[in-house]
């Protein structure tokens, strides 16, 4: 796998539980940063939904403007149910990307969509919650970029309660 940068942007996330799920996904799929806007999560962060303490290793930062995070060589990719968006199975992930997700109870601001290098959606019947969508997107990115998987990863990823083997 080539060197890459991946960050997650959350527009005014509503649910601390979903942000906890996003943090866990970021840890599982090696995201380098998480940004969020609005004040709903900042007020709810005290509920400690980061069950794997990912924020100890991946910075989570409040921002006012996601468009200002668009720097040379980094694609701004919106993930939203938007007319004209590219279905995720057909999307080629850029090496360096900031993926922006809308709030659970709304949509991305039009100005962010207009500034995006790409807009993708996960083709589902209905919509998924925020954490589920982040997991699907990051898994898709990893699966499309990998040239092989190492079975030893199972031993380092599972918890002490899992000692299953395939006969």
């Amino acid at each position: 796998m080539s060197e890459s940068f991946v960050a997650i942007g959350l527009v005014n996330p509503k649910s601390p539980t979903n942000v906890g799920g996003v943090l866990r996904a970021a840890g599982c799929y090696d995201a380098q940063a998480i940004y969020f806007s609005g004040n709903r999560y900042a007020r709810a962060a005290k509920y400690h939904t980061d069950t794997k303490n990912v924020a100890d290793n991946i910075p989570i930062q409040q921002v006012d403007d996601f468009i200002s995070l668009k720097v040379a060589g980094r694609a701004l990719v919106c993930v939203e149910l938007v007319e004209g968006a590219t279905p995720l199975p057909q999307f080629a992930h850029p090496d360096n990307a900031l993926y922006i997700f809308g709030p659970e109870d709304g949509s991305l601001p039009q100005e962010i969509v207009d500034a995006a290098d790409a807009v993708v959606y996960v083709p589902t019947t209905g919509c998924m919650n925020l954490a589920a969508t982040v997991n699907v997107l990051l898994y898709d990115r990893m699966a499309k970029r990998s040239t092989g998987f190492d079975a030893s990863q199972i031993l380092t990823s599972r918890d002490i309660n899992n000692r299953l083997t395939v006969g």
Side-chain angles (χ1 to χ4, degrees), residues 14-29:
K14 176 182 175 185
S15 162
T17 304
N18 264 336
V19 176
V22 169
L23 287 163
R24 189 167 186 162
C28 287
Y29 298 107

Side-chain angles (χ1 to χ4, degrees), residues 92-105:
H93 294 270
D95 284 341
N96 300 298
L98 169 59
Y99 296 97
I100 307 291
F101 296 81
E104 298 92 329
D105 57 352

Side-chain angles (χ1 to χ4, degrees), residues 45-104:
K46 65 184 174 198
Y47 295 111
H48 191 70
T49 58
D50 180 8
T51 59
K52 295 288 186 179
N53 297 317
V54 172
D56 293 345
N57 301 311
I58 299 173
I60 181 165
Q61 178 181 349
Q62 189 169 10
V63 298
D64 293 324
D65 178 19
F66 287 106
I67 297 170
S68 68
L69 299 176
K70 185 178 177 181
V71 298
R74 182 180 305 153
L76 185 96
V77 180
C78 290
V79 184
E80 183 74 87
L81 293 171
V82 176
E83 290 182 48
T86 302
L88 185 59
Q90 297 172 2
F91 182 64
H93 294 270
D95 284 341
N96 300 298
L98 169 59
Y99 296 97
I100 307 291
F101 296 81
E104 298 92 329

